[in-house]
Amino acid sequence: MKHLQITFKACFILIVTLLSGTTGIIKAQEKELLSFEEYLSLVGKKNLSYASRKYNVSMAEAAIQTAGMFPDPQLEVETTNNGVNKNMGYVYGTSIGWTLELGGKRKARINFAKNQSELSKIQLQDFFRNLRADASLGYIDALRSKAILEVQQDSYKNIQQLAKSDSIRYRLGTISLVTSKQSKLEAASLLNEVYQAESAEQQSLTNLTVFLSDQHQQLTSRDVDGDFNAFNRDFNIDDLILQALNERADLLAAKQNTQVTKSQISLEKANRIIDLGISAGAEHHTEATNEIAPSPTVNALKLGLSIPLKFSNRRNAGLKIAEMAHSQAEVEYQQIEQEIRAEVMQAYQQYSATQKQVKQFHNGMLTEAKSILEGITYSYKRGESSILEVLNAQRMYNGIRKDYYQALADNAAALVELERRVGIWDIHF
């Protein structure tokens, strides 16, 4: 009867302690969620480097208008005193002149400016391709840090409850003081790991602000949200390589650069053609009252044509440089094409490897580790196993859960890298 009373008393104290202890467990403060789509939208709107590069497109478009301008005319006004103190009269004249461009210079300038404008647009797309991927990797890391923090909090909660239970069992004389201290020390150690995980999570959130301009406080006070299981895709490597060769913005930029250098050659050739200077004007000669050679008032018209002597055409360095730049651009295009093939293959191999690792966890590793922990914990409460066995099982379960979330994050990052290398994007989670 006495044994039954002690048992009932122990159970009552244990239940009250556990219920009251749950309110003291470290919990993540509920925050407003920041979805992946919202974050990428903010990156597109708030990233300063991306905003800066948009000006390159605007300036290139403005250069097209400049290239289409005709040479400005020249207005000339002159006066002449035909004879100082000789009363030979004065001449007042005005003329207007302009340059007549030959050889299609204006058309060549416009084509060159248009090609440069198109190149700047493609380069902007390529910058955003990398910016989007880098920002996504940062978000995935924040999501991983959040999951690791939850693992540490759950582990701490379990061991803290166990330590409180052991404290009661020690007072009741069912376990030794050393056993009670071991569980309490393990709880303190896990609490430090919780603090470390909290710091890592905050750092990962702060890292997200690198991609924005003025969102530091807004992001660090919010919480990332997403499902790691949304990163499963089936790909064919041959299709991926073909897509990359058709979609990669940097390859398109290299191809467009060959057009820019080709138009540069046309412009250099056009600039070698001479331009004509044409002028037209009128003169007014005042009356000359000189006794020897008097003359009446006279009005005159004049036309002029100037032909430059382009001795500089004998030196065609500019044209040769443009031709070499075009050859260089074609070689660079071929080099980038080869690099893309290798990059896509490597990214595909990495993604395939992470897919296998995730499947390994889904084949029962987590479930088995959890069942082992629960079984040993149950045996420990019945006095059939030691505290060391419980702690080892808890550490093993924690390690497997961490490895699982790391594998999920690696798989997500591998998919982002694969789609970055291919030049496609269908990631939503």
Side-chain angles (χ1 to χ4, degrees):
M1 184 69 180
K2 182 177 180 182
H3 175 71
L4 292 176
Q5 289 177 348
I6 293 175
T7 303
F8 175 78
K9 179 180 179 182
C11 292
F12 177 77
I13 295 175
L14 178 61
I15 293 172
V16 172
T17 303
L18 293 179
L19 290 176
S20 62
T22 56
T23 61
I25 302 303
I26 295 180
K27 297 181 180 179
Q29 183 180 3
E30 292 189 9
K31 302 177 182 179
E32 181 183 357
L33 295 179
L34 174 67
S35 68
F36 176 68
E37 299 297 334
E38 181 185 358
Y39 176 66
L40 280 191
S41 177
L42 287 173
V43 170
K45 296 176 182 177
K46 300 291 185 178
N47 185 267
L48 295 179
S49 296
Y50 184 55
S52 174
R53 280 165 173 78
K54 287 181 179 179
Y55 286 107
N56 293 337
V57 176
S58 300
M59 289 186 291
E61 290 176 345
I64 298 176
Q65 299 179 355
T66 303
M69 296 175 61
F70 291 96
D72 292 325
Q74 298 176 345
L75 178 64
E76 182 177 354
V77 178
E78 60 181 351
T79 181
T80 304
N81 185 352
N82 286 331
V84 180
N85 300 324
K86 299 294 185 180
N87 296 324
M88 295 296 292
Y90 296 88
V91 179
Y92 301 99
T94 182
S95 63
I96 185 169
W98 62 92
T99 301
L100 178 61
E101 292 185 317
L102 301 178
K105 292 184 178 64
R106 179 174 178 272
K107 182 179 180 181
R109 286 198 306 269
I110 293 175
N111 288 337
F112 179 67
K114 285 183 177 180
N115 285 326
Q116 283 190 317
S117 176
E118 186 64 25
L119 177 60
S120 66
K121 292 177 183 178
I122 299 174
Q123 288 174 334
L124 181 65
Q125 293 175 5
D126 187 54
F127 178 82
F128 184 71
R129 173 181 69 92
N130 289 302
L131 173 65
R132 178 179 57 192
D134 291 338
S136 299
L137 293 177
Y139 192 92
I140 289 171
D141 183 66
L143 200 60
R144 180 196 62 82
S145 298
K146 176 185 175 183
I148 297 299
L149 175 60
E150 291 175 354
V151 171
Q152 292 299 138
Q153 289 174 334
D154 289 343
S155 177
Y156 170 69
K157 175 182 176 180
N158 293 335
I159 298 301
Q160 186 191 43
Q161 291 177 340
L162 185 64
K164 290 184 178 181
S165 173
D166 284 351
S167 177
I168 296 172
R169 294 172 65 190
Y170 166 68
R171 291 200 297 268
L172 295 176
T174 58
I175 61 173
S176 66
L177 177 61
V178 173
T179 300
S180 176
K181 286 184 176 182
Q182 280 182 317
S183 58
K184 185 177 180 181
L185 183 62
E186 183 70 14
S189 177
L190 287 175
L191 182 58
N192 285 334
E193 294 183 9
V194 169
Y195 293 150
Q196 185 177 3
E198 287 177 342
S199 174
E201 184 199 30
Q202 287 299 312
Q203 291 178 45
S204 65
L205 290 174
T206 302
N207 184 58
L208 296 183
T209 63
V210 173
F211 300 96
L212 305 177
S213 58
D214 55 355
Q215 303 291 318
H216 181 271
Q217 295 296 331
Q218 293 89 330
L219 286 189
T220 53
S221 62
R222 300 180 67 177
D223 200 3
V224 294
D225 182 49
D227 182 10
F228 271 133
N229 293 313
F231 292 88
N232 298 317
R233 305 285 192 281
D234 292 324
F235 294 113
N236 179 280
I237 184 59
D238 294 330
D239 293 339
L240 290 177
I241 293 177
L242 182 60
Q243 278 186 296
L245 296 178
N246 292 327
E247 303 290 342
R248 273 280 290 262
D250 55 342
L251 184 62
L252 296 177
K255 184 177 182 179
Q256 181 61 28
N257 191 40
T258 63
Q259 295 298 317
V260 171
T261 54
K262 187 176 181 180
S263 60
Q264 178 69 42
I265 294 175
S266 299
L267 181 57
E268 287 293 336
K269 290 180 178 179
N271 287 334
R272 293 172 62 82
I273 306 300
I274 63 172
D275 297 329
L276 298 179
I278 301 175
S279 62
E283 290 183 347
H284 174 71
H285 296 254
T286 63
E287 180 183 4
T289 59
N290 185 279
E291 294 180 357
I292 299 175
S295 63
T297 300
V298 177
N299 293 320
L301 296 177
K302 63 178 181 178
L303 297 175
L305 177 66
S306 63
I307 302 176
L309 302 177
K310 298 201 72 170
F311 296 110
S312 60
N313 277 351
R314 296 165 60 183
R315 297 186 177 91
N316 58 350
L319 179 59
K320 288 183 178 179
I321 291 173
E323 291 174 344
M324 287 186 288
H326 178 64
S327 299
Q328 182 185 44
E330 289 183 331
V331 173
E332 289 178 350
Y333 174 77
Q334 296 174 0
Q335 177 64 26
I336 293 175
E337 185 176 307
Q338 292 179 357
E339 291 176 354
I340 286 176
R341 292 178 185 272
E343 288 177 0
V344 173
M345 180 63 73
Q346 291 172 346
Y348 176 76
Q349 292 168 346
Q350 177 64 22
Y351 178 66
S352 298
T354 57
Q355 283 275 286
K356 294 177 182 178
Q357 292 173 0
V358 172
K359 288 179 181 179
Q360 185 72 8
F361 284 98
H362 288 168
N363 287 336
M365 288 183 62
L366 282 172
T367 304
E368 186 175 353
K370 184 177 182 181
S371 64
I372 291 174
L373 174 61
E374 291 175 347
I376 293 179
T377 302
Y378 179 75
S379 298
Y380 172 70
K381 291 179 180 179
R382 292 172 56 88
E384 298 174 356
S385 59
S386 67
I387 184 62
L388 292 179
E389 292 178 292
V390 175
L391 298 182
N392 287 334
Q394 182 68 58
R395 294 190 190 103
M396 181 186 67
Y397 181 53
N398 290 351
I400 291 178
R401 288 183 69 189
K402 289 179 181 179
D403 291 342
Y404 172 61
Y405 286 119
Q406 184 64 55
L408 287 175
D410 290 342
N411 178 67
L415 179 61
V416 170
E417 287 294 348
L418 178 58
E419 298 207 356
R420 184 215 295 259
R421 303 304 176 188
V422 176
I424 60 177
W425 192 260
D426 66 347
I427 296 177
H428 306 282
F429 67 97

